[in-house]
Amino acid sequence: MNETWKITVAAPRPIIQSALLAHEEALEWDFDIVLSGSEITEDHPEDWHLEAWLPRKPSRADKKAIAALFGNHDPDLVVEKLPDQDWVTLSQQGVEPIRAGRFHVRTPNFPPLDEPGVVDFLIPASQAFGTGQHETTAGCLAMLDGMKREGVVVRNLADIGTGTGLLAFAGMTLWPHALATASDIDAVCADVVADNAAMNRVALGAGPNALTMAIADGMDDPLLQARAPYDLLIANILAGPLVELAADFAKAVIPGGSILLAGLLAAQELQVRRAYSRAGMRLAARMTNGDWSILWLRKRAMAKPRATRAHKLPVWARQW
């Protein structure tokens, strides 16, 4: 197993969030360096830390790149070599189950939730993002549940940046006759999704109520293009790629179709919404979960719409 190193910086929440935003704008970032930011303890929500994981001992250039994210602040970088183990899997072990809408997501450490109407997903700790515990994934589950209750009809869906496959599984549960496609840029996700599909009795294949998996960067893939246009496109990734892919995502959705976006901080929401408005999308609903925004957008119809009263967000979608 390759060695893993971690660099940690502790600072107040606004400073860490500013560093994460700077990372989004870093055009020449080394993507071997994986970043995350979060509160250190629940009882001190303003005390955050930034953690950077590297598959090698950090070089002087690595440390300089991370320090540069903090601008005029002089961060104290704590460098440590981690034990030879899968730190992503380890970090997810023993996490509490979450409930989002009708969905209950758990690891094998916990039993299913025995309640009527609850959809239980078993998602073990893995090398892929998207176990449901992160605010963005949980928010997407809640938003999908709300979209179903609003009467959204989906015959063809795509989950871009699927990670564990969880959001694709949820969409297939809500719309069981839909074609379903999942993709991720990380090749490790193909096996992760296949394993999770087997554990959750999700069929793999090309027909209705079966999931087709692709390894792809954005929408630049023959399978994704051939299966378009979609009624629903889900993308829980990062704000930067969401902005860059706005035109491609909008093009891949039918008029009146939906795009569900997550992975963006509330501070990044306006930038993302502007990009999708320019691409012909309008806001249907939004949620906030912690510091994160979850957006439901709908593609404007081809015909010129009649004058109507201002669009009002559903009550359930204003805050989660």
mmCIF file of all heavy atoms in Angstrom, residues 210-245:
data_model
loop_
_atom_site.group_PDB
_atom_site.id
_atom_site.type_symbol
_atom_site.label_atom_id
_atom_site.label_comp_id
_atom_site.label_asym_id
_atom_site.label_seq_id
_atom_site.Cartn_x
_atom_site.Cartn_y
_atom_site.Cartn_z
ATOM 1 N N ALA A 210 -32.063 -0.367 -14.126
ATOM 2 C CA ALA A 210 -30.723 -0.949 -14.038
ATOM 3 C C ALA A 210 -29.724 0.182 -14.235
ATOM 4 O O ALA A 210 -29.992 1.148 -14.950
ATOM 5 C CB ALA A 210 -30.518 -2.032 -15.091
ATOM 6 N N LEU A 211 -28.578 0.068 -13.576
ATOM 7 C CA LEU A 211 -27.593 1.141 -13.583
ATOM 8 C C LEU A 211 -26.434 0.804 -14.520
ATOM 9 O O LEU A 211 -25.851 -0.281 -14.441
ATOM 10 C CB LEU A 211 -27.062 1.370 -12.167
ATOM 11 C CG LEU A 211 -26.038 2.489 -11.985
ATOM 12 C CD1 LEU A 211 -26.665 3.842 -12.301
ATOM 13 C CD2 LEU A 211 -25.478 2.475 -10.566
ATOM 14 N N THR A 212 -26.077 1.758 -15.377
ATOM 15 C CA THR A 212 -24.913 1.649 -16.244
ATOM 16 C C THR A 212 -23.841 2.589 -15.731
ATOM 17 O O THR A 212 -24.107 3.767 -15.493
ATOM 18 C CB THR A 212 -25.266 2.006 -17.699
ATOM 19 O OG1 THR A 212 -26.281 1.128 -18.164
ATOM 20 C CG2 THR A 212 -24.048 1.884 -18.596
ATOM 21 N N MET A 213 -22.629 2.098 -15.563
ATOM 22 C CA MET A 213 -21.535 2.862 -14.973
ATOM 23 C C MET A 213 -20.491 3.206 -16.027
ATOM 24 O O MET A 213 -20.167 2.382 -16.889
ATOM 25 C CB MET A 213 -20.885 2.050 -13.842
ATOM 26 C CG MET A 213 -19.705 2.704 -13.162
ATOM 27 S SD MET A 213 -20.184 4.105 -12.129
ATOM 28 C CE MET A 213 -18.563 4.808 -11.763
ATOM 29 N N ALA A 214 -19.973 4.436 -15.948
ATOM 30 C CA ALA A 214 -18.915 4.868 -16.859
ATOM 31 C C ALA A 214 -17.847 5.621 -16.070
ATOM 32 O O ALA A 214 -18.155 6.281 -15.069
ATOM 33 C CB ALA A 214 -19.481 5.779 -17.947
ATOM 34 N N ILE A 215 -16.600 5.503 -16.497
ATOM 35 C CA ILE A 215 -15.518 6.327 -15.965
ATOM 36 C C ILE A 215 -15.307 7.454 -16.969
ATOM 37 O O ILE A 215 -14.935 7.211 -18.121
ATOM 38 C CB ILE A 215 -14.225 5.523 -15.770
ATOM 39 C CG1 ILE A 215 -14.483 4.354 -14.796
ATOM 40 C CG2 ILE A 215 -13.110 6.418 -15.245
ATOM 41 C CD1 ILE A 215 -14.976 4.784 -13.415
ATOM 42 N N ALA A 216 -15.597 8.689 -16.534
ATOM 43 C CA ALA A 216 -15.598 9.803 -17.472
ATOM 44 C C ALA A 216 -15.273 11.097 -16.749
ATOM 45 O O ALA A 216 -15.526 11.248 -15.556
ATOM 46 C CB ALA A 216 -16.964 9.916 -18.162
ATOM 47 N N ASP A 217 -14.720 12.045 -17.500
ATOM 48 C CA ASP A 217 -14.431 13.389 -17.012
ATOM 49 C C ASP A 217 -15.535 14.307 -17.502
ATOM 50 O O ASP A 217 -15.600 14.649 -18.676
ATOM 51 C CB ASP A 217 -13.065 13.844 -17.532
ATOM 52 C CG ASP A 217 -12.659 15.205 -17.002
ATOM 53 O OD1 ASP A 217 -13.436 15.804 -16.239
ATOM 54 O OD2 ASP A 217 -11.564 15.669 -17.345
ATOM 55 N N GLY A 218 -16.437 14.704 -16.602
ATOM 56 C CA GLY A 218 -17.567 15.539 -17.008
ATOM 57 C C GLY A 218 -18.498 14.791 -17.941
ATOM 58 O O GLY A 218 -18.791 13.617 -17.754
ATOM 59 N N MET A 219 -18.937 15.471 -18.999
ATOM 60 C CA MET A 219 -19.853 14.854 -19.967
ATOM 61 C C MET A 219 -19.119 14.358 -21.204
ATOM 62 O O MET A 219 -19.751 13.922 -22.162
ATOM 63 C CB MET A 219 -20.925 15.873 -20.384
ATOM 64 C CG MET A 219 -21.794 16.362 -19.246
ATOM 65 S SD MET A 219 -22.688 15.035 -18.411
ATOM 66 C CE MET A 219 -23.822 14.497 -19.697
ATOM 67 N N ASP A 220 -17.795 14.407 -21.181
ATOM 68 C CA ASP A 220 -16.999 14.034 -22.351
ATOM 69 C C ASP A 220 -16.821 12.527 -22.402
ATOM 70 O O ASP A 220 -15.737 11.994 -22.162
ATOM 71 C CB ASP A 220 -15.647 14.746 -22.305
ATOM 72 C CG ASP A 220 -14.847 14.539 -23.588
ATOM 73 O OD1 ASP A 220 -15.471 14.173 -24.599
ATOM 74 O OD2 ASP A 220 -13.623 14.743 -23.561
ATOM 75 N N ASP A 221 -17.914 11.847 -22.744
ATOM 76 C CA ASP A 221 -17.892 10.387 -22.789
ATOM 77 C C ASP A 221 -18.963 9.907 -23.765
ATOM 78 O O ASP A 221 -20.108 10.403 -23.725
ATOM 79 C CB ASP A 221 -18.166 9.818 -21.392
ATOM 80 C CG ASP A 221 -18.175 8.296 -21.385
ATOM 81 O OD1 ASP A 221 -17.088 7.699 -21.371
ATOM 82 O OD2 ASP A 221 -19.280 7.721 -21.412
ATOM 83 N N PRO A 222 -18.657 8.965 -24.647
ATOM 84 C CA PRO A 222 -19.636 8.506 -25.638
ATOM 85 C C PRO A 222 -20.907 7.945 -25.012
ATOM 86 O O PRO A 222 -22.010 8.171 -25.535
ATOM 87 C CB PRO A 222 -18.875 7.427 -26.416
ATOM 88 C CG PRO A 222 -17.434 7.763 -26.229
ATOM 89 C CD PRO A 222 -17.331 8.348 -24.854
ATOM 90 N N LEU A 223 -20.774 7.210 -23.900
ATOM 91 C CA LEU A 223 -21.960 6.634 -23.271
ATOM 92 C C LEU A 223 -22.873 7.726 -22.727
ATOM 93 O O LEU A 223 -24.095 7.704 -22.962
ATOM 94 C CB LEU A 223 -21.555 5.681 -22.145
ATOM 95 C CG LEU A 223 -22.713 5.091 -21.337
ATOM 96 C CD1 LEU A 223 -23.563 4.172 -22.208
ATOM 97 C CD2 LEU A 223 -22.197 4.341 -20.114
ATOM 98 N N LEU A 224 -22.316 8.677 -22.003
ATOM 99 C CA LEU A 224 -23.126 9.759 -21.438
ATOM 100 C C LEU A 224 -23.811 10.554 -22.541
ATOM 101 O O LEU A 224 -24.979 10.947 -22.411
ATOM 102 C CB LEU A 224 -22.256 10.680 -20.590
ATOM 103 C CG LEU A 224 -21.686 10.093 -19.298
ATOM 104 C CD1 LEU A 224 -20.764 11.103 -18.628
ATOM 105 C CD2 LEU A 224 -22.806 9.684 -18.341
ATOM 106 N N GLN A 225 -23.099 10.792 -23.629
ATOM 107 C CA GLN A 225 -23.683 11.557 -24.727
ATOM 108 C C GLN A 225 -24.751 10.758 -25.462
ATOM 109 O O GLN A 225 -25.783 11.306 -25.866
ATOM 110 C CB GLN A 225 -22.576 11.997 -25.684
ATOM 111 C CG GLN A 225 -21.603 12.989 -25.053
ATOM 112 C CD GLN A 225 -20.372 13.246 -25.887
ATOM 113 O OE1 GLN A 225 -20.250 12.715 -27.011
ATOM 114 N NE2 GLN A 225 -19.447 14.043 -25.379
ATOM 115 N N ALA A 226 -24.533 9.458 -25.611
ATOM 116 C CA ALA A 226 -25.497 8.620 -26.327
ATOM 117 C C ALA A 226 -26.798 8.462 -25.546
ATOM 118 O O ALA A 226 -27.875 8.361 -26.140
ATOM 119 C CB ALA A 226 -24.893 7.254 -26.610
ATOM 120 N N ARG A 227 -26.706 8.452 -24.209
ATOM 121 C CA ARG A 227 -27.900 8.242 -23.389
ATOM 122 C C ARG A 227 -28.654 9.535 -23.100
ATOM 123 O O ARG A 227 -29.761 9.503 -22.568
ATOM 124 C CB ARG A 227 -27.531 7.547 -22.086
ATOM 125 C CG ARG A 227 -26.843 6.216 -22.286
ATOM 126 C CD ARG A 227 -26.869 5.384 -21.017
ATOM 127 N NE ARG A 227 -27.831 4.301 -21.120
ATOM 128 C CZ ARG A 227 -28.261 3.556 -20.107
ATOM 129 N NH1 ARG A 227 -27.825 3.814 -18.891
ATOM 130 N NH2 ARG A 227 -29.124 2.597 -20.286
ATOM 131 N N ALA A 228 -28.060 10.675 -23.411
ATOM 132 C CA ALA A 228 -28.736 11.959 -23.269
ATOM 133 C C ALA A 228 -29.829 12.091 -24.345
ATOM 134 O O ALA A 228 -29.789 11.388 -25.358
ATOM 135 C CB ALA A 228 -27.728 13.087 -23.389
ATOM 136 N N PRO A 229 -30.807 12.990 -24.140
ATOM 137 C CA PRO A 229 -30.940 13.931 -23.025
ATOM 138 C C PRO A 229 -31.603 13.281 -21.812
ATOM 139 O O PRO A 229 -32.342 12.299 -21.940
ATOM 140 C CB PRO A 229 -31.815 15.038 -23.604
ATOM 141 C CG PRO A 229 -32.691 14.326 -24.592
ATOM 142 C CD PRO A 229 -31.830 13.231 -25.188
ATOM 143 N N TYR A 230 -31.333 13.866 -20.636
ATOM 144 C CA TYR A 230 -31.810 13.325 -19.370
ATOM 145 C C TYR A 230 -32.943 14.180 -18.805
ATOM 146 O O TYR A 230 -33.000 15.392 -19.009
ATOM 147 C CB TYR A 230 -30.654 13.283 -18.359
ATOM 148 C CG TYR A 230 -29.485 12.452 -18.837
ATOM 149 C CD1 TYR A 230 -28.366 13.056 -19.418
ATOM 150 C CD2 TYR A 230 -29.496 11.068 -18.727
ATOM 151 C CE1 TYR A 230 -27.297 12.291 -19.871
ATOM 152 C CE2 TYR A 230 -28.432 10.300 -19.176
ATOM 153 C CZ TYR A 230 -27.330 10.916 -19.753
ATOM 154 O OH TYR A 230 -26.280 10.155 -20.203
ATOM 155 N N ASP A 231 -33.851 13.503 -18.093
ATOM 156 C CA ASP A 231 -34.879 14.226 -17.333
ATOM 157 C C ASP A 231 -34.296 14.792 -16.046
ATOM 158 O O ASP A 231 -34.741 15.830 -15.556
ATOM 159 C CB ASP A 231 -36.040 13.290 -16.960
ATOM 160 C CG ASP A 231 -36.666 12.627 -18.152
ATOM 161 O OD1 ASP A 231 -37.297 13.337 -18.950
ATOM 162 O OD2 ASP A 231 -36.500 11.411 -18.295
ATOM 163 N N LEU A 232 -33.298 14.078 -15.485
ATOM 164 C CA LEU A 232 -32.675 14.480 -14.224
ATOM 165 C C LEU A 232 -31.178 14.213 -14.303
ATOM 166 O O LEU A 232 -30.757 13.097 -14.609
ATOM 167 C CB LEU A 232 -33.275 13.702 -13.047
ATOM 168 C CG LEU A 232 -32.569 13.832 -11.696
ATOM 169 C CD1 LEU A 232 -32.583 15.270 -11.199
ATOM 170 C CD2 LEU A 232 -33.209 12.896 -10.659
ATOM 171 N N LEU A 233 -30.392 15.238 -14.020
ATOM 172 C CA LEU A 233 -28.941 15.101 -13.935
ATOM 173 C C LEU A 233 -28.519 15.536 -12.541
ATOM 174 O O LEU A 233 -28.866 16.628 -12.090
ATOM 175 C CB LEU A 233 -28.260 15.945 -15.010
ATOM 176 C CG LEU A 233 -26.747 15.773 -15.184
ATOM 177 C CD1 LEU A 233 -26.346 16.030 -16.637
ATOM 178 C CD2 LEU A 233 -25.972 16.708 -14.259
ATOM 179 N N ILE A 234 -27.791 14.665 -11.836
ATOM 180 C CA ILE A 234 -27.319 14.930 -10.477
ATOM 181 C C ILE A 234 -25.810 15.131 -10.534
ATOM 182 O O ILE A 234 -25.098 14.350 -11.170
ATOM 183 C CB ILE A 234 -27.641 13.746 -9.550
ATOM 184 C CG1 ILE A 234 -29.132 13.409 -9.586
ATOM 185 C CG2 ILE A 234 -27.193 14.033 -8.116
ATOM 186 C CD1 ILE A 234 -29.465 12.039 -8.981
ATOM 187 N N ALA A 235 -25.315 16.173 -9.854
ATOM 188 C CA ALA A 235 -23.873 16.409 -9.820
ATOM 189 C C ALA A 235 -23.499 16.947 -8.446
ATOM 190 O O ALA A 235 -23.704 18.128 -8.163
ATOM 191 C CB ALA A 235 -23.446 17.380 -10.915
ATOM 192 N N ASN A 236 -22.975 16.076 -7.612
ATOM 193 C CA ASN A 236 -22.482 16.459 -6.289
ATOM 194 C C ASN A 236 -20.958 16.422 -6.356
ATOM 195 O O ASN A 236 -20.335 15.424 -6.031
ATOM 196 C CB ASN A 236 -23.017 15.496 -5.228
ATOM 197 C CG ASN A 236 -22.536 15.834 -3.829
ATOM 198 O OD1 ASN A 236 -22.050 16.933 -3.578
ATOM 199 N ND2 ASN A 236 -22.658 14.890 -2.912
ATOM 200 N N ILE A 237 -20.385 17.526 -6.850
ATOM 201 C CA ILE A 237 -18.940 17.544 -7.063
ATOM 202 C C ILE A 237 -18.338 18.757 -6.342
ATOM 203 O O ILE A 237 -18.386 18.822 -5.123
ATOM 204 C CB ILE A 237 -18.587 17.466 -8.565
ATOM 205 C CG1 ILE A 237 -19.458 18.400 -9.439
ATOM 206 C CG2 ILE A 237 -18.768 16.059 -9.071
ATOM 207 C CD1 ILE A 237 -19.117 18.385 -10.926
ATOM 208 N N LEU A 238 -17.814 19.744 -7.071
ATOM 209 C CA LEU A 238 -17.237 20.947 -6.487
ATOM 210 C C LEU A 238 -17.715 22.156 -7.277
ATOM 211 O O LEU A 238 -18.100 22.046 -8.450
ATOM 212 C CB LEU A 238 -15.702 20.886 -6.502
ATOM 213 C CG LEU A 238 -15.039 19.821 -5.630
ATOM 214 C CD1 LEU A 238 -13.555 19.735 -5.963
ATOM 215 C CD2 LEU A 238 -15.245 20.115 -4.155
ATOM 216 N N ALA A 239 -17.661 23.321 -6.643
ATOM 217 C CA ALA A 239 -18.195 24.532 -7.272
ATOM 218 C C ALA A 239 -17.483 24.851 -8.585
ATOM 219 O O ALA A 239 -18.134 25.216 -9.577
ATOM 220 C CB ALA A 239 -18.103 25.707 -6.312
ATOM 221 N N GLY A 240 -16.150 24.747 -8.605
ATOM 222 C CA GLY A 240 -15.410 25.065 -9.819
ATOM 223 C C GLY A 240 -15.841 24.237 -11.016
ATOM 224 O O GLY A 240 -16.226 24.791 -12.060
ATOM 225 N N PRO A 241 -15.805 22.908 -10.925
ATOM 226 C CA PRO A 241 -16.294 22.084 -12.031
ATOM 227 C C PRO A 241 -17.774 22.311 -12.356
ATOM 228 O O PRO A 241 -18.161 22.222 -13.520
ATOM 229 C CB PRO A 241 -16.057 20.651 -11.534
ATOM 230 C CG PRO A 241 -14.927 20.777 -10.572
ATOM 231 C CD PRO A 241 -15.126 22.100 -9.899
ATOM 232 N N LEU A 242 -18.600 22.593 -11.351
ATOM 233 C CA LEU A 242 -20.014 22.861 -11.625
ATOM 234 C C LEU A 242 -20.171 24.067 -12.533
ATOM 235 O O LEU A 242 -20.996 24.067 -13.459
ATOM 236 C CB LEU A 242 -20.782 23.099 -10.320
ATOM 237 C CG LEU A 242 -21.030 21.878 -9.433
ATOM 238 C CD1 LEU A 242 -21.755 22.285 -8.160
ATOM 239 C CD2 LEU A 242 -21.818 20.789 -10.161
ATOM 240 N N VAL A 243 -19.396 25.113 -12.289
ATOM 241 C CA VAL A 243 -19.451 26.299 -13.137
ATOM 242 C C VAL A 243 -18.940 25.966 -14.536
ATOM 243 O O VAL A 243 -19.552 26.322 -15.546
ATOM 244 C CB VAL A 243 -18.639 27.449 -12.510
ATOM 245 C CG1 VAL A 243 -18.488 28.606 -13.489
ATOM 246 C CG2 VAL A 243 -19.307 27.933 -11.224
ATOM 247 N N GLU A 244 -17.812 25.276 -14.628
ATOM 248 C CA GLU A 244 -17.224 24.937 -15.922
ATOM 249 C C GLU A 244 -18.150 24.056 -16.762
ATOM 250 O O GLU A 244 -18.161 24.147 -17.995
ATOM 251 C CB GLU A 244 -15.893 24.235 -15.707
ATOM 252 C CG GLU A 244 -14.811 25.103 -15.092
ATOM 253 C CD GLU A 244 -13.553 24.317 -14.768
ATOM 254 O OE1 GLU A 244 -13.485 23.135 -15.151
ATOM 255 O OE2 GLU A 244 -12.644 24.889 -14.133
ATOM 256 N N LEU A 245 -18.908 23.195 -16.106
ATOM 257 C CA LEU A 245 -19.752 22.233 -16.818
ATOM 258 C C LEU A 245 -21.184 22.713 -17.009
ATOM 259 O O LEU A 245 -22.021 21.954 -17.503
ATOM 260 C CB LEU A 245 -19.757 20.901 -16.057
ATOM 261 C CG LEU A 245 -18.441 20.123 -16.087
ATOM 262 C CD1 LEU A 245 -18.439 19.035 -15.020
ATOM 263 C CD2 LEU A 245 -18.213 19.514 -17.463
#
